[in-house]
Amino acid sequence: MDRIIPIQPAPAEPSATAITPSADGLGCGAGKDAMQQAAMAAGKGEVLAQYAADYPLHPDAGPHDQPQSMCPAFGSLRVGLRMRRIATILSGSACCVYGLTFTSHFYGARRSVGYVPFNSESLVTGKLFEDIRDSVYDQADPAQYDAIVIINLCVPTASGVPLQLLPKEINGVRIIGIDVPGFGVPTHAEAKDVLAGAMLRYAREEAQAGPVAAPRQARSDKPTISLLGEMFPADPAGIAQMIAPMGLAVGTVVPTREWRELYAALDCDAVAAIHPFYTASIREFQAAGRPVVGSAPVGVDGTHDWLGAIGAATGVAQDKIDAARNATLAAIRGVLSQQKINGRITLSGYEGSELLVARLLVECGADLRYVGSACPATPWNAHDREWLQARGVQVQMRATLEQDLAAVHEYRPQLAIGTTPVVQKAKEQCIPSLYFTNLISARPLMGVAGAGSLVQVVQAAIGNQQRFDEMKAFFGETGQGDQAGVWSAVPQPHPEFKAEVRRQLEKQARRRKAEEMGS
Ligand code: SF4
C-alpha cells in the first residue's frame, strides 16, 4: 500500500528577507499600508514614527491613502534646488523622478537634478545603496558644493535603502540623506520641513562643535527674528519695517538660500513661524533655545496680536510694542477702509498659508464660509483657527479634496479659491474661481502691502460671473460628461451598450456568488 506523506507546514525562515515584504514594484498605486508595512519591515520604523508625530493626520479627515496634491518629495527637492552650492540627488522610480524633475524645471530650477537609477536586482541585492554612495563620492567636490542632499523616494524608502549609513561628510562636503516617501510625509509643504529641519540639525551640531562660517551679509546689531516659511519676497522687508520701532530686525528666512545662512538663522532672538507646519525645524530652533511665535502680521487684528507676541518673546517694553502697533495699524486700517470685498468665498489650498489668507479676506469684508488646508493643525496656527472660527468660518485642517469640493457644493460661493481640481470643478459649475498657489499665495500678505493686495484680484474674479453665465448659455451641455473629449462626429448616446455591459456585470456577480455558496 502506498504511504501517504502528511503535509507539514514549512518552518518559518529565520532570515530577514523571508519576512520582509518586497518593495520592488510598489509605488503610488500600491496603497499606503503596503508601502508602510514594507518600509517598517526594512528598518524605517523610526523615521516613519517621527514623521507620524511631526505631520499627524486628522482622525476625521479619512486616510490620505495617496497624496492628493503633487508628489510630496517636490517640497524637499525645491528647498535643495533653491540653495547655492547644494547638489540634490534623487533615488527612486524613473517615473517619479521624471515627474519631479519636470515640475522643478517648470518652476525655474535652472540646474541639474542628480538621479541614481535602480532595477529590481540592484534594489533587492543592496547594490542601489552602493551606487548612491559612489555617486555621492563622485559629486563631493568642495570647490563646487557645501552639501549634497540625497532624497529617498517611495520605493527606496520602502526597501530600507539605508541613507543613514552614508558618511556625514566627504572632502568637507556635508552629506544629508533623507527619506521623503508619499506614504510618510502627507504634503509637499511638510516635505520642505523635512529637509529644512535636517539641515538645521546638521548646522546646529556644527555650531555647537566649534566656530562656523559667518553669513555673507553683515549681521544686524539689533536682536533678530528668523522667519519660517517661503513667502512673497516683499514680505520680509514689510515685516522688518513693522518691527523696527521695537528695536528688532528681520534675520534669516528659513528655508535658507545658502548653507551658512543656517547658522545666522539659528543665531536669532526669536523665530516667527509664519508658516505653521515646520515642526522639525521648530524642534531645532527650540533645541537651540530660541522662542517660537505662531501666526503672522496679517490684517489689523493679526498684526496687533503678532507684534505683541514678538515683543513679549524678545522682552521688548510695552511702550515700544505700542509704538510699533501705532505705526502700522492705522495704515492698515486706512487701506482696508478704502476698498472692500463683497462676496461669498470658499478657500482651500496645500501651501500652509491658507489661514493667513483667510484672515485677510475676512478683514477685507469677504463673506468667507470655509477654509480648508491640506496641512495639519499645530500650536502655531491655533490662534488663527480660533480667530476664524469665532467669525463663523468653517476651518478644516488636513482637508481632503472631497471636503473642499463638498464645501463648494454646500456654500455655492461667488468665488472658489482653491487647488487645481477644486478650481476645475467650480468652473464646471459656472462658479468663478482662482488658483490659490499661483494667484493668491504669490502675493504680499503681511502688513500694509498685504491689506491692499487681495481686494482687486478677488473683486475682478467675482465680477466674471456674467462671462461664465454667457459661456454656459452659449455652450450648453456640449462637451459634458460622456461627450467630453475629441470627436470626429457629433457624439451619439448609446444607452443600449451601457445596459448590455451592466447586464453582463450583474450576471458575472451572480455567478461568483453562486460559486462562493457552493464551495
Ligand atoms: S515618490 Fe512621489 S510620485 Fe513616486 S510613488 Fe512616491 S508619492 Fe508617488
Side-chain angles (χ1 to χ4, degrees):
M1 195 179 117
D2 289 343
R3 238 181 105 223
I4 297 174
I5 301 171
I7 297 173
Q8 304 282 352
E13 290 273 346
S15 78
T17 47
I19 54 166
T20 303
S22 168
D24 185 19
L26 298 186
C28 289
K32 184 174 160 183
D33 291 345
M35 298 293 277
Q36 273 187 337
Q37 199 193 347
M40 304 268 234
K44 295 284 182 185
E46 204 179 317
V47 177
L48 291 184
Q50 184 66 63
Y51 288 166
D54 285 352
Y55 315 120
L57 295 178
H58 193 292
D60 305 326
H64 276 244
D65 205 30
Q66 293 163 25
Q68 287 188 307
S69 59
M70 69 176 81
C71 168
F74 180 64
S76 300
L77 179 61
R78 178 183 161 94
V79 166
L81 287 177
R82 294 183 82 199
M83 291 179 75
R84 296 165 56 121
R85 294 177 48 81
I86 302 290
T88 313
I89 298 174
L90 296 176
S91 151
S93 304
C95 50
C96 310
V97 173
Y98 170 76
L100 286 163
T101 49
F102 180 92
T103 315
S104 53
H105 293 304
F106 178 80
Y107 281 100
R110 289 200 298 268
R111 77 168 93 154
S112 300
V113 178
Y115 175 40
V116 182
F118 67 85
N119 58 25
S120 302
E121 189 185 335
S122 67
L123 189 69
V124 297
T125 58
K127 173 80 167 52
L128 173 58
F129 177 69
E130 303 296 323
D131 291 345
I132 291 173
R133 192 166 52 189
D134 290 349
S135 71
V136 169
Y137 271 98
D138 274 356
Q139 295 283 310
D141 175 4
Q144 290 192 63
Y145 299 122
D146 289 333
I148 296 177
V149 175
I150 307 99
I151 301 174
N152 256 352
L153 303 179
C154 281
V155 171
T157 303
S159 302
V161 174
L163 296 182
Q164 71 276 11
L165 297 185
L166 289 170
K168 241 186 140 216
E169 180 220 301
I170 301 169
N171 301 330
V173 178
R174 302 156 185 91
I175 308 299
I176 304 203
I178 50 173
D179 299 298
V180 192
F183 55 85
V185 182
T187 62
H188 85 283
E190 290 153 296
K192 292 179 194 172
D193 177 51
V194 173
L195 181 53
M199 286 184 161
L200 281 169
R201 161 174 278 213
Y202 199 122
R204 183 172 62 78
E205 287 168 359
E206 284 181 316
Q208 282 173 340
V212 290
R216 193 177 294 269
Q217 283 169 343
R219 214 178 161 280
S220 169
D221 52 357
K222 297 175 182 165
T224 58
I225 309 296
S226 288
L227 305 180
L228 251 181
E230 289 183 310
M231 59 200 93
F232 188 75
D235 274 339
I239 293 174
Q241 263 183 350
M242 280 186 259
I243 61 176
M246 294 196 286
L248 303 174
V250 160
T252 308
V253 178
V254 176
T256 62
R257 295 301 181 92
E258 196 173 7
W259 186 272
R260 59 170 89 175
E261 287 180 5
L262 293 162
Y263 310 127
L266 288 160
D267 187 24
C268 64
D269 290 74
V271 179
I274 302 286
H275 287 180
F277 53 83
Y278 280 86
T279 313
S281 303
I282 287 171
R283 187 164 49 240
E284 296 308 319
F285 280 116
Q286 288 176 329
R290 307 295 179 242
V292 181
V293 173
S295 193
V298 287
V300 174
D301 285 4
T303 304
H304 176 278
D305 295 349
W306 186 82
L307 287 173
I310 286 288
T314 47
V316 171
Q318 188 60 44
D319 61 331
K320 286 193 174 173
I321 296 174
D322 292 341
R325 284 172 170 165
N326 290 340
T328 303
L329 297 183
I332 298 177
R333 272 196 202 97
V335 172
L336 290 176
S337 66
Q338 280 167 16
Q339 36 183 359
K340 286 275 172 209
I341 292 174
N342 296 306
R344 192 169 56 255
I345 296 177
T346 58
L347 168 67
S348 33
Y350 46 64
E351 303 292 336
S353 55
E354 291 76 26
L355 302 196
L356 303 181
V357 174
R359 288 189 69 152
L360 206 46
L361 287 172
V362 171
E363 287 212 12
C364 289
D367 175 12
L368 184 72
R369 300 294 176 90
Y370 169 87
V371 53
S373 174
C375 293
T378 70
W380 321 111
N381 57 21
H383 185 64
D384 299 324
R385 291 199 307 276
E386 283 160 19
W387 189 92
L388 287 161
Q389 281 162 344
R391 280 149 191 82
V393 181
Q394 183 185 343
V395 180
Q396 179 63 59
M397 303 310 296
R398 219 31 126 199
T400 59
L401 173 60
E402 292 75 13
Q403 287 167 325
D404 292 342
L405 293 176
V408 172
H409 180 76
E410 171 74 18
Y411 296 119
R412 296 297 304 172
Q414 289 159 283
L415 176 69
I417 301 172
T419 56
T420 310
V422 173
V423 165
Q424 182 191 347
K425 190 77 180 169
K427 284 187 173 164
E428 267 178 29
Q429 295 172 14
C430 223
I431 298 171
S433 28
L434 287 173
Y435 183 37
F436 183 87
T437 302
N438 289 8
L439 295 172
I440 299 294
S441 79
R443 292 176 176 275
L445 293 177
M446 314 296 156
V448 184
S453 81
L454 279 183
V455 177
Q456 245 182 349
V457 66
V458 167
Q459 280 304 111
I462 291 176
N464 274 339
Q465 183 65 60
Q466 197 191 337
R467 288 173 63 196
F468 273 87
D469 294 340
E470 284 169 8
M471 278 195 288
K472 182 76 182 167
F474 180 78
F475 286 106
E477 299 303 312
T478 307
Q480 297 280 308
D482 288 354
Q483 300 179 354
V486 179
W487 297 74
S488 53
V490 176
Q492 300 297 327
H494 280 286
E496 70 278 13
F497 294 167
K498 287 189 174 174
E500 175 58 18
V501 170
R502 198 176 312 120
R503 194 184 66 75
Q504 300 242 18
L505 288 173
E506 283 168 3
K507 197 171 144 194
Q508 191 185 46
R510 277 199 302 277
R511 198 170 55 233
R512 280 216 187 109
K513 194 157 190 192
E515 281 169 9
E516 274 169 29
M517 288 171 77
S519 63

